[in-house]
């Protein structure tokens, strides 16, 4: 404790001295931020890649919030709104980083090493990524006039219809694909090491996800969703395997460890609260899927009763819609599964993917079932998605964390023979989304599982009116409310958007355009 106190005092004194020095030399240190000596295209690229990757992955309790909404994780500390369908206001903070795109392009304009197109492509991709996840929350958003306060003096941007936002996103991704194809490998990228081929594959794969998010509007004549999907899937470079995952890898350094780990360099006092939900555990048990043993720990009460950790019956899934007192009781009685110990004990149990190879394969499988690609290919994509998920776990999990039920190549081969797509097109889509859900455990932190349930109804989330915090309690919410900051400072434009979409009622139960 004394060491910590001495350290804090030292930092404060040092900061005070530094501040005094800065005050005396104010004129010297306040250089023009637009000069090349202050930053570079590479530095700005690092900043923006951080914003869409590691900065989007919260730590400790906040890391689990998207998985509470997706019914993977239940919380026992207290009643959590995310678990019980309580949605409040969104924020447009992710758009702020887009102010760096023009600056990055200005610095890149003078480069003669072939990287200028690469930085331009990166700007398009990041814009598409940030606008996509913003519109997915609320509906109409500022797009055409967004982040133009400095360049055009527009401090109160108009809102574009969601259809127009999606058209812009798709065009940005098309541009990124072309430019990555022309550019050289660039600096400032800690995810792919500046490999433009990997960025191009991610761009095209992500565009397929954007298009699949438009499945309710697939017949729109202007967006031409089905044909665009087919063209991209059959003519462009796509993610090839897990080496192309858009993922963050962690280090054994404070602040850089896996977000749920509790290690000597990162304390996580919340590890005692999670319960793994039945939406994850029951399908794994029903399918005899060994990912169960990689994702979770057996229920303590079942082990005490004599079941081995290798027995599927030793794993208990708790219903996410149960009253909080029942969830706590299950926790107190040891009748629940915790997350696998590797997530807690290791500084890097696995990279956290924001968009993975298996996500692409399940998207392609759904596209084939929907007839956007040859239907004969659906099974192959489906199998590749499952294999990609299982191979990833094989590569990143030590045997001590498999509870004696390792995933092997022969196991994957046998498993795939038991999960063939069957039934109607709708039943096949349910199977695909279920497998995508299983693979997405503690990945896809941008509420992917919740969005897929919102779009397709799968996996089925149980509605319990007695615990549902949404109003009315007989339905699930569909969206976030608009940010308070917009209501305070851009009231006319946000009000017009609420009026045109939702008859003037900014309500979490409203259906945005992509869901109609």
């Amino acid at each position: 404790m004394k060491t910590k106190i001495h350290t804090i005092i030292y930092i404060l004194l040092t900061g005070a001295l530094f501040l005094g020095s800065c005050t005396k030399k104010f004129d010297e240190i306040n250089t023009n931020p637009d000069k090349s000596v202050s930053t570079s295209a590479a530095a700005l690229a690092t900043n923006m890649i951080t914003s869409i990757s590691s900065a989007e992955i919260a730590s400790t309790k906040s890391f689990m919030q998207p998985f509470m909404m997706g019914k993977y994780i239940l919380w026992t500390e207290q009643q959590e709104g995310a678990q019980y369908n309580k949605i409040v206001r969104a924020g447009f903070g992710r758009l702020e980083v887009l102010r760096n795109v023009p600056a990055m392009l200005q610095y890149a304009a003078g480069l003669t090493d072939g990287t200028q197109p690469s930085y331009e492509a990166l700007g398009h991709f990041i814009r598409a990524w940030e606008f996509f996840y913003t519109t997915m929350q609320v509906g109409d958003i500022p797009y055409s006039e967004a982040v133009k306060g400095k360049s055009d003096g527009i401090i109160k941007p108009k809102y574009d219809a969601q259809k127009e936002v999606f058209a812009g996103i798709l065009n940005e991704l098309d541009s990124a694909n072309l430019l990555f194809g022309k550019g050289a490998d660039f600096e400032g990228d800690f995810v792919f090491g500046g490999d433009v081929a990997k960025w191009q594959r991610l761009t095209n794969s992500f565009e397929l996800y954007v298009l699949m998010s438009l499945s309710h509007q697939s017949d729109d004549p202007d967006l031409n969703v089905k044909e665009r999907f087919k063209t991209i899937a059959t003519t462009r470079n796509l993610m090839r395997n897990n080496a192309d995952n858009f993922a963050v890898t962690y280090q054994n350094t404070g602040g850089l460890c896996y977000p749920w780990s509790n290690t000597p360099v990162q304390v996580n006092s919340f590890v005692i609260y999670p319960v793994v939900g039945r939406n994850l555990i029951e399908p794994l048990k029903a399918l005899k899927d060994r990912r169960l043993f990689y994702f979770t720990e057996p229920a303590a009460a079942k082990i005490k009763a004599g079941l081995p950790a290798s027995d599927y019956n030793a794993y208990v899934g708790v219903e996410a819609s149960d009253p909080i007192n029942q969830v706590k009781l299950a926790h107190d009685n040891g009748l629940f599964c915790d997350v696998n110990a590797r997530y807690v004990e290791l500084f890097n149990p696995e990279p956290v993917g924001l968009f993975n190879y298996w996500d692409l394969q399940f998207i392609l499988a759904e596209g084939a079932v929907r007839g956007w690609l040859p239907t004969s290919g659906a099974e192959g994509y489906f199998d590749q998605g499952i294999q990609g998920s299982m191979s990833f776990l094989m590569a990143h999990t030590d045997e001590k964390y498999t509870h004696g039920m390792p995933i092997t190549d022969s196991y994957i081969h046998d498993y795939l023979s038991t999960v063939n797509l069957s039934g109607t097109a709708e039943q096949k889509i349910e199977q695909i989304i279920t497998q995508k859900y299983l693979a997405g455990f503690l990945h896809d932190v941008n509420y992917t599982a919740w969005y897929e349930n919102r779009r397709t109804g799968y996996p089925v989330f149980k509605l319990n009116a007695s615990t549902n915090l949404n109003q009315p309690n007989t339905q699930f919410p569909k969206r976030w409310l608009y940010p308070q900051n917009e209501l305070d400072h851009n009231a006319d434009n946000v009000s017009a958007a609420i009026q045109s979409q939702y008859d003037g009622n900014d309500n979490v139960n409203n259906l945005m355009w992509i869901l109609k």
Side-chain angles (χ1 to χ4, degrees):
M1 180 62 72
K2 287 183 179 179
T3 301
K4 290 183 178 180
I5 293 172
H6 291 161
T7 301
I8 293 170
I9 293 172
Y10 174 77
I11 292 171
L12 291 173
L13 289 173
T14 303
L17 291 171
F18 177 73
L19 182 61
S21 176
C22 289
T23 303
K24 294 175 182 178
K25 299 181 180 180
F26 185 85
D27 292 334
E28 295 179 27
I29 67 171
N30 278 267
T31 56
N32 185 346
D34 294 326
K35 290 185 178 180
S36 59
V37 295
S38 63
T39 189
S40 65
L44 291 167
T46 300
N47 173 271
M48 289 188 288
I49 293 171
T50 299
S51 74
I52 65 167
S53 58
S54 55
E56 289 195 358
I57 303 171
S59 62
T60 65
K61 182 179 179 179
S62 296
F63 173 63
M64 290 299 187
Q65 184 182 26
F67 306 108
M68 293 182 210
M69 282 191 68
K71 316 307 179 191
Y72 291 106
I73 295 293
L74 289 55
W75 204 251
T76 59
E77 179 188 18
Q78 59 188 8
Q79 186 181 54
E80 285 295 324
Q83 179 182 329
Y84 293 101
N85 313 310
K86 179 69 173 179
I87 293 183
V88 288
R89 294 199 178 276
F92 285 176
R94 66 169 61 247
L95 299 183
E96 293 178 5
V97 73
L98 300 183
R99 297 190 181 101
N100 288 336
V101 173
M104 179 181 69
L105 298 184
Q106 287 178 0
Y107 287 108
L111 298 175
T112 58
D113 57 359
T115 60
Q116 187 277 330
S118 306
Y119 286 114
E120 187 176 351
L122 181 66
H124 282 298
F125 177 84
I126 290 174
R127 280 175 54 87
W129 182 277
E130 299 289 46
F131 282 121
F132 172 76
Y133 283 112
T134 302
T135 188
M136 288 290 281
Q137 286 194 313
V138 295
D140 294 2
I141 60 170
Y143 174 71
S144 60
E145 292 185 357
V147 292
K148 289 189 174 181
K150 182 177 180 180
S151 62
D152 300 298
I154 300 175
I155 59 173
K156 295 182 178 181
K158 71 174 184 179
Y159 279 59
D160 296 278
Q162 192 173 43
K163 175 179 173 177
E164 299 307 315
V165 174
F166 267 86
I169 290 167
L170 293 169
N171 289 336
E172 301 243 25
L173 292 169
D174 286 341
S175 297
N177 167 61
L178 292 173
L179 288 162
F180 277 132
K182 296 177 182 179
D185 292 353
F186 62 97
E187 295 182 353
D189 169 27
F190 58 90
V191 176
F192 293 136
D195 188 334
V196 291
K198 287 190 174 185
W199 276 103
Q200 186 185 52
R201 291 193 287 270
L202 171 63
T203 294
N204 296 327
S205 301
F206 180 66
E207 186 165 0
L208 292 178
Y209 174 48
V210 173
L211 288 164
M212 186 54 69
S213 300
L214 292 165
S215 61
H216 286 251
Q217 297 288 350
S218 61
D219 291 323
D220 185 275
D222 299 316
L223 295 179
N224 200 18
V225 172
K226 298 176 187 178
E227 192 58 37
R228 290 180 87 147
F229 189 96
K230 181 178 180 180
T231 298
I232 293 169
T234 57
T235 65
R236 293 189 191 175
N237 296 323
L238 302 176
M239 299 168 77
R240 303 166 302 176
N241 50 47
N242 288 331
D244 289 340
N245 289 353
F246 185 48
V248 176
T249 301
Y250 295 92
Q251 302 173 31
N252 194 19
T253 304
L256 299 177
C257 294
Y258 182 80
W260 191 245
S261 64
N262 184 27
T263 68
V265 299
Q266 176 174 284
V267 175
N268 179 7
S269 60
F270 295 99
V271 295
I272 61 175
Y273 296 117
V275 171
V276 181
R278 64 176 295 277
N279 278 83
L280 179 73
I281 288 179
E282 292 308 315
L284 291 169
K285 290 172 64 174
L287 294 167
K288 300 297 182 184
D289 191 322
R290 291 190 181 184
R291 284 177 290 183
L292 174 68
F293 305 99
Y294 286 65
F295 290 156
T296 68
E297 292 293 316
K302 296 293 186 179
I303 298 299
K304 186 177 180 180
L307 290 180
S310 58
D311 191 329
Y312 284 95
N313 292 318
Y315 295 78
V316 178
V318 181
E319 168 54 43
S321 65
D322 281 350
I324 183 63
N325 63 317
Q326 287 185 217
V327 177
K328 286 184 175 182
L329 184 63
H331 186 274
D332 293 343
N333 291 335
L335 289 170
F336 76 101
C337 289
D338 199 351
V339 299
N340 192 288
R342 66 193 178 93
Y343 298 116
V344 178
E345 297 174 356
L346 305 179
F347 71 87
N348 184 34
E350 63 187 31
V352 175
L354 296 114
F355 191 88
N356 291 310
Y357 167 73
W358 57 80
D359 294 317
L360 166 65
Q361 295 304 308
F362 292 128
I363 291 165
L364 291 169
E366 184 179 347
V369 168
R370 291 185 181 278
W372 301 0
L373 295 173
T375 56
S376 59
E379 188 73 47
Y381 296 130
F382 182 66
D383 287 353
Q384 285 298 312
I386 296 170
Q387 185 170 352
S389 169
M390 291 186 171
S391 296
F392 175 85
L393 292 173
M394 284 174 59
H396 292 96
T397 308
D398 187 271
E399 185 179 357
K400 66 178 287 190
Y401 295 108
T402 66
H403 302 297
M405 295 292 279
I407 295 173
T408 63
D409 290 335
S410 61
Y411 168 77
I412 295 175
H413 177 271
D414 293 341
Y415 179 88
L416 292 177
S417 67
T418 68
V419 291
N420 296 324
L421 290 175
S422 61
T424 64
E426 187 65 23
Q427 289 170 328
K428 291 178 180 178
I429 289 174
E430 180 178 8
Q431 294 169 59
I432 292 167
I433 300 300
T434 297
Q435 284 292 339
K436 186 177 182 182
Y437 179 83
L438 299 179
F441 182 59
L442 301 188
H443 290 271
D444 301 325
V445 301
N446 287 309
Y447 301 98
T448 299
W450 191 80
Y451 288 142
E452 292 294 62
N453 171 269
R454 181 179 72 173
R455 180 177 67 89
T456 69
Y458 307 121
V460 176
F461 296 160
K462 182 179 178 180
L463 182 63
N464 185 340
S466 67
T467 61
N468 184 13
L469 296 180
N470 187 48
Q471 291 298 323
N473 60 5
T474 54
Q475 65 185 72
F476 290 109
K478 298 297 184 184
R479 57 179 288 271
W480 279 257
L481 301 176
Y482 278 106
Q484 186 62 50
N485 188 58
E486 284 293 289
L487 295 171
D488 292 340
H489 301 291
N490 194 14
D492 289 344
N493 287 315
V494 70
S495 296
I498 294 169
Q499 182 62 46
S500 65
Q501 294 173 96
Y502 309 126
D503 294 326
N505 181 17
D506 188 16
N507 191 287
V508 296
N509 302 301
N510 298 138
L511 283 180
M512 60 183 67
W513 175 78
I514 61 168
L515 300 177
K516 293 180 179 179

